[in-house]
Amino acid sequence: MLGLARTRVTPDALTACGVGLCVAAAVLVFFENRNEILFYWLAAGVFVVGSVLDILDGALARTSGKGTPFGAFLDSTTDRVSEGFMLGAIALVFARHHEMVAVGLTFAAVAGSFLVSYTRAKAEGLALKGDVGIGSRAERVVVITAGLVLAPWGVLPYAIGLLAATAWFTVGQRVWSVRRQLARRSNPGVGEDADL
């Protein structure tokens, strides 16, 4: 990362490349009906690279001093674009194969994933810790990628179900965490394990 920080590459450039690759991966998913293994695996590889670039942009901003408030805002916004396009493409594939339960799970995964990010942003806007929980972006990327790799063998609906479940569980964890933090702020004597 230090080597990259000495180049003229900016965090915003990495952000743009990352979201572009994730959108391209979503397009590849849609063509799975032509060759499942080829297009699912290509999509998984491109999605991983795009997601890694999305992670590296923040690290580059911190180590190079090139970060800006707008860059941080753009990064979090494009993360939602990347996930939204990928999950949207997966939903279209499920609809093509008349797997309507899986379509419903994908909608639940989209809503849950977006709420995971929203609850963190809202908590941090209140000067509280908002990054608790098991379903952060890195974990969601891993689940989606594994689902794509194993999709030719029917695993993708289960991966999306797992994604939806962990996302909503994480939303619950963050709501509970914010409630406890606010209660401790109002009543400094309240302990960590108090029944709130």
Side-chain angles (χ1 to χ4, degrees), residues 79-157:
D79 285 350
R80 308 292 76 74
V81 172
S82 300
E83 251 180 297
F85 267 87
M86 176 54 73
L87 291 173
I90 290 171
L92 288 173
V93 168
F94 288 150
R96 174 192 290 153
H97 295 290
H98 308 290
E99 298 181 49
M100 301 315 293
V101 172
V103 172
L105 287 173
T106 309
F107 275 102
V110 170
S113 295
F114 283 22
L115 277 171
V116 166
S117 302
Y118 177 80
T119 50
R120 175 174 179 170
K122 194 67 176 175
E124 291 176 350
L126 296 170
L128 301 170
K129 181 177 174 62
D131 59 353
V132 301
I134 62 171
S136 67
R137 175 156 167 76
E139 284 80 12
R140 296 196 303 272
V141 167
V142 170
V143 171
I144 291 171
T145 303
L148 291 173
V149 169
L150 299 173
W153 297 278
V155 174
L156 188 55

Side-chain angles (χ1 to χ4, degrees), residues 158-174:
Y158 300 100
I160 296 302
L162 176 63
L163 180 67
T166 55
W168 280 99
F169 185 75
T170 302
V171 170
Q173 287 181 296
R174 292 185 176 182

Side-chain angles (χ1 to χ4, degrees), residues 24-25 27-47 148-153:
V27 173
L28 288 169
V29 166
F30 187 72
F31 291 102
E32 55 80 36
N33 58 334
R34 300 190 178 187
N35 185 319
E36 278 193 330
I37 290 180
L38 174 63
F39 283 99
Y40 274 135
W41 286 16
L42 272 176
V46 174
F47 183 67
L148 291 173
V149 169
L150 299 173
W153 297 278

Side-chain angles (χ1 to χ4, degrees), residues 15-88:
T15 298
C17 289
V19 71
L21 287 172
C22 288
V23 170
V27 173
L28 288 169
V29 166
F30 187 72
F31 291 102
E32 55 80 36
N33 58 334
R34 300 190 178 187
N35 185 319
E36 278 193 330
I37 290 180
L38 174 63
F39 283 99
Y40 274 135
W41 286 16
L42 272 176
V46 174
F47 183 67
V48 166
V49 174
S51 299
V52 168
L53 291 178
D54 264 346
I55 293 168
L56 288 179
D57 57 6
L60 178 61
R62 288 188 295 274
T63 57
S64 68
K66 298 175 184 176
T68 63
F70 178 73
F73 168 80
L74 184 66
D75 178 32
S76 61
T77 301
T78 54
D79 285 350
R80 308 292 76 74
V81 172
S82 300
E83 251 180 297
F85 267 87
M86 176 54 73
L87 291 173

